[in-house]
Each structure stands twice: as C-alpha cells, then as structure tokens.
Amino acid sequence: MASGADGTDSVVRDGDYVVFHTSDDRWNFAQVKRGNRVSLNSKRLKVDAVIGCEWGSVFSLGRNKAELIREIETVSFDTELHQLSEELHTVSNGAEARDENEGAEAEIDEELEVVREDRHDEAGKVSLKSADLIELAVRSNVNFEGKSLHARKKFIMRKHARLLLRVRILKPTGRTLCNVYCDRNPHGILGMRLDTFSLVLTLANVRADGHYMVMDHALGLLVGSVAQRMRGHGKVFSVFQGSTPACVEMIRSFNLSAEETNSIRHVPIHFLPSVFQDAPDDDLPLNFATARRDPGSATDQEQRSDVKRARLLDGSHPSRLTGRPTARRMKYWLRAGCESLIIAARHDALPLVHAMLPFLASSGNLVVFGNNFQPMAELQYALSCTRSFARIQLHETSLVHHQVLPGRSHPKMSELASGGYVLSATKLTAS
Amino acid sequence: MLRRLRTKIDEPEDAAVTESVLEDVSERATVGHPPVVAEGDVVIVGEKYPNISHEVVRAGHELQNRYGRFRLGSLIGKPVGRRWKSEFEKAGKGACFVNVLAPTPELWTVALQHRTQVVYSHDIALITAHLELNAGSVVLEAGTGSCSMTFALARTVAPHGTVLSFDVDEERVRSAQQEIKLLKLDHVVKVEHRNVVTRGFPESVVQHSVDAVFLDLPDPNNVIREAAHRLKPNGALACFSPCVEQVQLSLQEIRGSGLFYDVRTVTNTTRQYLTEAERFPVPDLGIDNQIRRGGTCAMAASNATTGGAGKTDHDEARAYAAISDDEHADPEMSVPAVGRKRPRGKEASRAVSNDTTDVTVALPLEYPTVPLNSRPHRDMKGHTSYLTFAYRIPYLGTEENTATVS
Ligand SMILES: C[S@@+](CC[C@H](N)C(=O)[O-])C[C@H]1O[C@@H](n2cnc3c(N)ncnc32)[C@H](O)[C@@H]1O
C-alpha cells in the first residue's frame, strides 16, 4: 500500500490516508483516492486536489464549496486569522451598543455575498484580504447600530469563519488521529482524550526494540501508535477476542510502512493459555478461529474471509501462508515476555489482565486505560493483593485549553469533561 | 539504559526452524527473562511508596536506609524487577525489603537528583505526543536542567534518533553528561554548554533539519525564531512556561513570525488515587434501628460487581459481618479512617502501595471481596506549567538562507 508517513515522504500520494484540520478546529480523515470525499463542516468535499501536495498545505473551499483549492501560504494562515480577529476585536470594541435593528443582519449578509463574488478571481480562489473584512466590520458598525456589541461580534466572526475557512492536511499520527476521534466519535476510542492517550504510551515505556502486548478496544489507535512510535523496530502483539483481528482499518489509516505493519502481530486471546505447551500443530499458521468452536464447523465463507483479512493485514509477506506466523514462532516470541501490557477495554479489564499477565516481563509495566473509576480502583486493589507489583498508580489527568492574550487570558471550555483513568504498575518477580 | 528487558534472542526464520533453534528456544526463551544487573548499571530502588531513589551498582558499595543495609554487589548477575532483602534482620521485624527496578524515564523522573524544577511524566507524555516523536526523530532541547525530559526524549527517539540538549549552567551540563553516560544514552544524547538565547543553536545544526524543539527555559520567546529556522516543514515546537505572561511573550513571537500553525496553549494537571480496603468510619449512633453496612442492597450490588468470582452469598455475608462486628468494637470510631489500616484476615497485609512489607509470595489475581475506599493521594508530585505547541509551516521561503544567527 501507499506509504506517505515514513518520515521521508513530503507529499501526499494517491491512496494515502490524510487528516484534515479546519481553521475552526474540526478534524476528520479520509483516504485520498480519485473520487473520494471527506465530510467537513457538514460538507462533502472532493479530496482529489490534495494528491501531490506537501503535507501541511492549506486549502480553501471552492466557489461551490464542494472541492478543496490549494492556497499558497508564505505567512502562516493561522497568524493572519489571529491578527484579523484581533483587529476585529479592537474595531468592534470601539462602538457602543444601542437599540435593536433587526434588518441589519440580512443586509450585511447580502453585502458579504457581493464581496465574496467580487473576490473570486479567474482561478475561482477566494482572496479576501483582512483589510476588506475590517472595512466590512466598520460598515457593520453603522448598519448594526441596533445590535448589542456581543451579537455584532458574534455575527462578524461567524461570517469570517465561513468565508475564511481553511483546511490543512496533516499526516495521520497518534496525535492527529486521536484528535479526529475526539472530535467526531469519542465513544469509538472509549473517550480517551489526548492527555490520557499519551500517558498510556509513555507509562508503557514505548520505544524501539520493545515487545508490547496490546488489547485495544479503541479502534486500533493504541496498536497503530505503538507501531508508529517504534518505526518498525520491535513488536506489537495485538490481542483480540473472537476470530477476526480487530481494528484493521484504523491501523491502516496510520499509513504505516511495510516494516511498521509487519511489527504488528495479531494474537487471538484463546491462544494465550497454550503458549507454554508445545503442540503437534505448532508448525501450522496461527489459528484465528476460536478454540471453543469446532474448526470443522466454520463455514467456508467465514474461513475465506478470515484468510483474506489476514492477507490484508500482512500484505508485506505474501509468501507466508495467510500471512500469519506459525504457532511455534508466536509461542517463541511470547515466551520471551513483553516490556509492557497495554489494555484499553470496553469492559472490565481484570480478566484481561489475568489472561495477559504471564507475558509481562519482570520490571515491565502494566498499563490499563478505563473510563469508569470503580473498576479501575478495584483492579488497583486487586493488583496490590497479588504482591507482584511495585508502584501501583491510578492516574487522572485533566487537559485544559487556554486563550492567552494581553488582558484577556482565560481557560477555554473543554469538550470532553473526562479523559478517563490510567492505571500503571511495575511487575515484580519472586526470586 | 535502553537495553531491553527481555533477553535478546536471535529470531529464527520460519523456514529455518531447525532442531538446534528449537532447543535454543526452549532453553532461553523463558517468560520474563529480564536483563541481569552488571557493575556500573543504574538501578531504581523503590521504598515504601512513593519514596524512590537510584543507585549505581558497584561491588563493595553499600546502600543504607531505614530498611537496613544493602550490599550493591549482591545485585550483580541478578535480574531487576524483584524484592531486595536487607543484610540483617531488624529485631522483631524480620528482614526488610526494597524493590529493585529497571531505570525507565518515568521512574528516573521521580528518583533523580533535583537540580532544577523538572518536567513530570504526565506533561512529558503530552509533549511527546504533540512533538510526534518516534524512533529516529532529531530533537533540540534547552535547557537540560535535571535531565528529566532529556531521558524521556532519548528513550523515544533511540536508537536512530538524536537529542541535542543545551544548558547555560556549566555545573548542570557536567552533571547531565555524567548521568547520560551512566544511563548508557551517550549514543543518542549530546549535552552541550551553551546560552541559546544569546548564541542560538550551533551552526552544525543545519537549517530545517530537526523534527522537534523543546524549550524549558525562562525566556523561550527569544529562541523561537531560531527554532523556526532549524525545524523541518511541519516540525513541532513545544514551550514549557510556568507564567502566563511568559506564554504571552512566546505567543507573540510564534504568531508574529508567521512561521507556525496550529498554535495552542494547554495545562495538564494530574491526580493520583490510593485505594484501600478500609472504610470510612460508620458512627455508632447508639440508637435502635441504626442503618448498617452489609444490608441486602449492598450485598446485591457487591455480588453484581464481583461477577461471581467464586464467592457464595454466604461467604460474602460473613465477610461483611466480620467487618461490622469489628466496627462496633472499635472505640475510636470518631477518628478518621485515613491512614488507619483495618487488617482483615487474608487481606491484612495487602494495603496498596505497601512495597516494603516482608512478603515474597505472589498471590493470584482475584476480584476483591472487601469494600474499597479511594481517595486522591495528597503529596503527589504534580508540578505543571503552561504548555504551548506549534508546528512549522511547510513554506521555507528564500530569505531564511540569509537569516542571521546571532
Ligand atoms: C527548569 S530547567 C529545565 C528542566 C528540564 N526540562 C528537566 O525536565 O529536567 C531550566 C534550565 O534552563 C537553563 N537555561 C536558562 N537560560 C538558558 C539559556 N539562555 N540557554 C540555555 N539554557 C538556559 C537553566 O540553566 C536551567 O537548567
């Protein structure tokens, strides 16, 4: 598959996944292929235009608001927008509010449309300059005589946001994808806010050459991020329940290189208890079908899709049957132990910890993310009772964004009130 | 010490899984086979939580603390991640233990020698995520301070990446260099004595060659343009400043330069909880019909949460009964339970964070059957600051080639 995020490629290639970040702080991502679209600010935009563009490039919305148009950015667009809003602040602060005048808004609306039409040059680009907007703002002071100061400011800012909406294309990384999910589907990643997400990776001591066992119910955000951080050096054992590896799609959206993809190994949880015994069929590829089900009872179709999926996962190794390692090799890897166990589960984590604990190396870390406090506290206490852990810590972090401006600094409202809890503990071995 | 915890074993190709390799597997690939300690290694010594320190292992040296005397030489050749017994038994107390652990950046941050204010792990985590670091990134840091951030940066970018760290204080630079050597990170980290405000970054750091810049010094605003010149397109900048006035100056520079996008300032506070099997005291009101714990409601709830962990209603009831009996017998009912241990049979010595009790026998992981109490840890280190993040716009312009580095 296309790989644009291996640190060397500077332009977006056909087939890459791309994160879109708007100037009003909305996030989304999409695979860029001719004809594909991305939803942004309730519009479905064609993504073709970003192919071949440098990562970090800025786009405006075309005249019909259905496509992205490349903008040349020699001075940061964010700086321009900031200056504009500061100027507006000054201008609109200068006027006093008087009685209401309902007709003004429609009037301004019309004027803005005219300005916008005027500013479309032949290429169809919107080239509205800050001076024009200031002018408009001043005019709006006249036309707005009746409106309250607050209403007027709100109105002007809204117009600006609409006219000046910009979209920046970013590489999919743990940070950008976490932002995408927090914005669009926090439930999908268990409400794991960027602060808790990063705490999980740090407490798990993620680094090159490490082996990590991950149970990821956060759509693969953790599995992908660990693989990306290690850059193909080391291994991520992605443990899944059922018979099909989890979150394959999300992992692909990291644009991982072949080595990075290859560092991710999918392990069915029912395989774990058998790791310490050798078995006659150890030289066969790892069996993803659940142990409880009679292998013969799996329908042809199920098996086929299973095989297809596994190939998909491991496209870099077409020569290996279904892309899976042999059971023997998987046992060999797992017996060596992992630096950390990472668990972010939709349900109570204690049984998972119990199943995965034998694979945690001495002095390695157990890191569990959870959204509910009580089960985490219970797990914390249960771990202490085993006498096999040092430094059992239950963390909570709170991330607050701030507006910092002369005389106007204040914390901003946060979108996710809680980012969840993180439990960490260091394994001790009796000796 | 970036050595892996597992024994490094050469991995066989499937096709090459021969008899001899298999022997090798069964012989060496035992679970949790941790590295063994060697002379000169750094180990972390965990005492009663949250006390922690670090030691350099030297045969013949001793560690003395309130748990007794420990011969450092006795660690050599043994794995980390275990309890370490003191040399003599304290009268009536038996032998004491401390935990000996591998030096991760997170443990180092709390065990290091403070020369300055340091960045703590929850902030380090957020900074690392924002800087989008991976194994191979090139990072500039100023100032080095106590090496808390430096170690964490090194861990993430090793083995192919680089951390170039600068500090204006010669003494701190020397100490940092020694520690980096002890931690066996000298192939990843270079610490240099330099005033980055007056002299900028060295010429050897070519323009647009670094992935990330981290600034934790009193006036980061004076280094921001320098940083912009060194950052690659989309490279990340992070500033750590305790005062909002300082943040304001930095933001003026960041925005004024017109070279950064997605500029944001956040604070990230942390809190840690303790969970203990001790209950908030239930007062004896001395009246009939007093409401008590362990009623049918509490039992139903408790059965539901333990999800049938093998305990019968009968066991459960007895556990509760035992506790409430004791509660009645307690004459100090009005004393707050905080800090008071309420040992209950098997769970007696199991209070959270009791790292130094004389216990060596591991017990199986089970759902707790006693009522639990959690509260925030009161004296947890959670120093934080304003964190400001920004990213270099991809446009590199032409005027920059002539930009002066004073
Ligand atoms: C708060 S400490 C950094 C702590 C460090 N981040 C840590 O986590 O251990 C700030 C350091 O910046 C250094 N410093 C101050 N001004 C500097 C300058 N102009 N150039 C380089 N370093 C400077 C100080 O000597 C001090 O050691």
Side-chain angles (χ1 to χ4, degrees):
Chain A
M1 65 172 272
S3 134
D6 59 7
T8 52
D9 290 0
S10 60
V11 299
V12 178
R13 291 193 270 170
D14 199 356
D16 276 350
Y17 284 80
V18 174
V19 169
F20 297 85
H21 183 209
T22 69
S23 46
D24 55 356
D25 212 15
R26 304 308 304 269
W27 299 78
N28 205 350
F29 77 106
Q31 188 180 20
V32 299
K33 273 203 232 151
R34 307 235 173 253
N36 270 13
R37 287 172 187 264
V38 61
S39 303
L40 279 173
N41 297 46
S42 54
K43 292 175 192 75
R44 304 270 304 152
L45 302 164
K46 278 197 217 141
V47 294
D48 305 30
V50 310
I51 298 172
C53 293
E54 231 177 327
W55 292 100
S57 300
V58 172
F59 296 80
S60 61
L61 306 195
R63 188 189 276 240
N64 53 8
K65 293 179 193 155
E67 59 200 341
L68 292 163
I69 294 165
R70 176 81 190 270
E71 295 281 331
I72 302 303
E73 183 184 43
T74 51
V75 171
S76 164
F77 172 72
D78 299 51
T79 295
E80 278 188 13
L81 197 67
H82 173 76
Q83 282 167 353
L84 190 57
S85 82
E86 282 307 279
E87 286 170 44
L88 274 169
H89 175 80
T90 321
V91 170
S92 56
N93 254 1
E96 286 296 310
R98 263 164 287 163
D99 33 309
E100 299 284 316
N101 178 352
E102 285 304 320
E105 176 151 352
E107 225 174 285
I108 290 284
D109 234 345
E110 257 170 51
E111 274 185 51
L112 277 168
E113 279 309 311
V114 175
V115 173
R116 218 166 64 81
E117 293 295 311
D118 286 352
R119 303 299 156 158
H120 272 108
D121 56 25
E122 309 85 71
K125 289 184 187 174
V126 185
S127 53
L128 202 58
K129 277 285 154 290
S130 100
D132 302 314
L133 282 156
I134 297 300
E135 190 193 313
L136 239 144
V138 176
R139 229 181 313 159
S140 75
N141 271 338
V142 182
N143 291 344
F144 252 67
E145 268 173 305
K147 290 262 174 184
S148 75
L149 186 69
H150 183 70
R152 195 157 54 214
K153 255 198 274 185
K154 271 271 151 65
F155 171 74
I156 293 166
M157 286 316 287
R158 218 166 50 227
K159 292 291 164 208
H160 285 165
R162 216 183 70 198
L163 281 171
L164 291 177
L165 188 78
R166 292 288 187 274
V167 181
R168 197 180 291 276
I169 53 167
L170 301 172
K171 284 187 183 181
T173 62
R175 174 186 77 97
T176 58
L177 288 172
C178 185
N179 282 334
V180 168
Y181 277 91
C182 282
D183 187 30
R184 304 197 64 93
N185 177 18
H187 183 68
I189 56 166
L190 312 172
M192 187 159 44
R193 222 170 36 194
L194 188 62
D195 49 332
T196 26
F197 158 76
S198 25
L199 191 59
V200 169
L201 294 187
T202 288
L203 293 174
N205 195 20
V206 175
R207 61 186 192 196
D209 289 335
H211 282 197
Y212 302 89
M213 186 179 276
V214 187
M215 170 57 92
D216 184 340
H217 286 179
L219 297 173
L221 180 65
L222 290 167
V223 170
S225 300
V226 173
Q228 193 172 50
R229 208 171 260 199
M230 296 195 301
R231 254 178 127 173
H233 310 282
K235 284 204 167 53
V236 194
F237 299 107
S238 173
V239 178
F240 62 92
Q241 289 151 275
S243 58
T244 39
C247 41
V248 180
E249 199 47 40
M250 170 74 159
I251 292 169
R252 289 207 321 155
S253 66
F254 277 86
N255 291 343
L256 297 180
S257 67
E259 298 79 48
E260 286 163 348
T261 307
N262 208 31
S263 68
I264 301 172
R265 295 299 174 156
H266 297 266
V267 187
I269 198 157
H270 61 75
F271 179 72
L272 297 184
S274 69
V275 168
F276 297 105
Q277 300 117 42
D278 291 324
D281 54 358
D282 271 357
D283 287 317
L284 298 176
L286 194 58
N287 186 9
F288 282 1
T290 47
R292 275 181 214 150
R293 194 171 55 181
D294 178 353
S297 76
T299 66
D300 264 7
Q301 202 181 359
E302 267 176 310
Q303 267 174 356
R304 247 183 284 129
S305 75
D306 201 18
V307 168
K308 214 170 104 192
R309 232 172 228 275
R311 278 213 186 100
L312 204 92
L313 286 173
D314 222 345
S316 47
H317 281 263
S319 59
R320 283 186 195 161
L321 183 60
T322 75
R324 296 175 200 171
T326 61
R328 185 181 310 282
R329 180 190 275 248
M330 186 54 84
K331 287 179 180 177
Y332 172 85
W333 286 330
L334 294 179
R335 285 174 188 179
C338 295
E339 319 253 332
S340 300
L341 306 180
I342 303 174
I343 299 174
R346 218 162 258 295
H347 46 63
D348 196 301
L350 200 138
L352 292 173
V353 173
H354 183 75
M356 290 161 69
L357 215 46
F359 305 96
L360 181 57
S362 192
S363 203
N365 289 334
L366 168 70
V367 185
V368 183
F369 168 84
N371 239 322
N372 300 314
F373 185 79
Q374 277 79 7
M376 297 293 278
E378 201 178 35
L379 179 57
Q380 181 184 30
Y381 182 76
L383 289 176
S384 75
C385 293
T386 65
R387 300 171 180 176
S388 313
F389 290 91
R391 300 193 68 82
I392 305 164
Q393 296 177 315
L394 181 50
H395 313 255
E396 181 185 20
T397 56
S398 54
L399 184 67
V400 179
H401 287 254
H402 295 266
Q403 166 180 302
V404 181
L405 289 168
R408 286 183 289 143
S409 300
H410 62 77
K412 292 196 220 172
M413 204 139 74
S414 63
E415 271 124 54
L416 292 174
S418 164
Y421 304 91
V422 181
L423 179 69
S424 67
T426 306
K427 170 96 171 267
L428 294 174
T429 311
S431 56
Chain B
M1 181 158 72
L2 290 179
R3 216 165 48 187
R4 27 216 281 196
L5 296 173
R6 292 163 300 100
T7 319
K8 172 114 176 117
I9 33 181
D10 291 326
E11 183 184 303
E13 272 303 304
D14 270 352
V17 179
T18 59
E19 284 299 308
S20 64
V21 170
L22 287 178
E23 265 169 38
D24 186 53
V25 171
S26 51
E27 190 190 346
R28 294 167 62 194
T30 49
V31 175
H33 201 97
V36 292
V37 177
E39 168 92 20
D41 277 358
V42 175
V43 292
I44 301 290
V45 177
E47 299 171 17
K48 187 169 165 53
Y49 184 84
N51 299 332
I52 190 164
S53 62
H54 71 270
E55 290 298 325
V56 183
V57 177
R58 302 254 182 250
H61 286 207
E62 278 191 352
L63 163 68
Q64 277 226 29
N65 58 26
R66 60 197 176 110
Y67 302 101
R69 241 177 40 225
F70 298 81
R71 278 190 309 114
L72 283 157
S74 71
L75 292 178
I76 294 173
K78 301 242 178 74
V80 286
R82 61 191 188 88
R83 298 185 197 279
W84 185 21
K85 208 174 150 211
S86 68
E87 286 299 306
F88 61 89
E89 308 218 336
K90 268 193 182 163
K93 275 192 153 185
C96 280
F97 294 83
V98 292
N99 296 321
V100 40
L101 305 170
T104 63
E106 288 60 55
L107 293 177
W108 181 255
T109 292
V110 280
L112 57 72
Q113 203 196 337
H114 277 239
R115 298 181 285 269
T116 60
Q117 191 63 265
V118 305
V119 187
Y120 285 101
S121 298
H122 65 293
D123 280 334
I124 290 176
L126 191 62
I127 294 164
T128 307
H130 265 279
L131 297 184
E132 301 186 326
L133 301 179
N134 59 40
S137 303
V138 177
V139 193
L140 300 181
E141 182 195 31
T144 317
S146 308
C147 267
S148 169
M149 189 70 195
T150 318
F151 187 9
L153 291 171
R155 173 259 316 268
T156 307
V157 307
H160 305 295
T162 309
V163 180
L164 286 174
S165 189
F166 305 94
D167 203 295
V168 72
D169 185 297
E170 236 170 316
E171 192 47 47
R172 283 178 205 152
V173 170
R174 246 195 313 276
S175 312
Q177 284 167 338
Q178 275 165 12
E179 282 169 4
I180 292 299
K181 212 169 178 150
L182 274 179
L183 292 163
K184 302 186 173 71
L185 288 170
D186 30 353
H187 62 300
V188 183
V189 183
K190 291 273 168 299
V191 184
E192 278 178 37
H193 175 228
R194 190 178 184 90
N195 184 334
V196 294
V197 170
T198 57
R199 296 172 62 209
F201 294 114
E203 293 298 327
S204 56
V205 182
V206 293
Q207 297 204 349
H208 311 307
S209 65
V210 310
D211 297 287
V213 175
F214 174 67
L215 301 176
D216 176 8
L217 69 176
D219 43 355
N221 52 306
N222 292 323
V223 193
I224 280 159
R225 280 182 202 251
E226 255 295 282
H229 294 319
R230 309 306 165 120
L231 282 171
K232 287 180 187 170
N234 301 302
L237 169 73
C239 303
F240 186 87
S241 304
C243 305
V244 75
E245 289 76 13
Q246 184 51 58
V247 176
Q248 212 173 291
L249 291 177
S250 301
L251 286 174
Q252 255 166 35
E253 268 307 296
I254 290 172
R255 295 207 171 107
S257 71
L259 295 171
F260 291 94
Y261 67 81
D262 198 3
V263 184
R264 49 183 89 215
T265 300
V266 303
T267 48
N268 181 29
T269 50
T270 184
R271 164 181 279 189
Q272 286 182 16
Y273 294 91
L274 286 178
T275 301
E276 287 166 325
E278 60 181 14
R279 290 184 296 105
F280 207 59
V282 178
D284 187 351
L285 303 177
I287 53 176
D288 291 339
N289 241 341
Q290 186 187 331
I291 188 163
R292 305 211 185 283
R293 271 189 213 273
T296 36
C297 175
M299 281 183 46
S302 156
N303 283 343
T305 50
T306 50
K311 298 273 186 268
T312 64
D313 284 6
H314 184 62
D315 290 338
E316 207 79 46
R318 261 202 319 215
Y320 276 99
I323 289 163
S324 34
D325 278 349
D326 199 67
E327 205 73 72
H328 279 293
D330 193 343
E332 292 173 52
M333 202 58 69
S334 56
V335 177
V338 174
R340 231 169 10 135
K341 293 280 176 301
R342 296 189 162 276
R344 297 281 170 272
K346 201 171 103 182
E347 316 236 0
S349 52
R350 295 185 183 185
V352 169
S353 76
N354 203 349
D355 282 352
T356 49
T357 343
D358 181 4
V359 282
T360 42
V361 191
L363 295 171
L365 183 66
E366 287 172 347
Y367 276 104
T369 54
V370 292
L372 301 177
N373 254 320
S374 300
R375 60 189 157 90
H377 209 292
R378 276 161 303 176
D379 39 37
M380 226 32 247
K381 286 169 182 171
H383 164 75
T384 188
S385 277
Y386 288 98
L387 297 169
T388 301
F389 302 109
Y391 299 85
R392 179 68 169 82
I393 59 168
Y395 178 79
L396 301 181
T398 47
E399 89 290 357
E400 297 210 5
N401 299 328
T402 56
T404 48
V405 180
S406 53

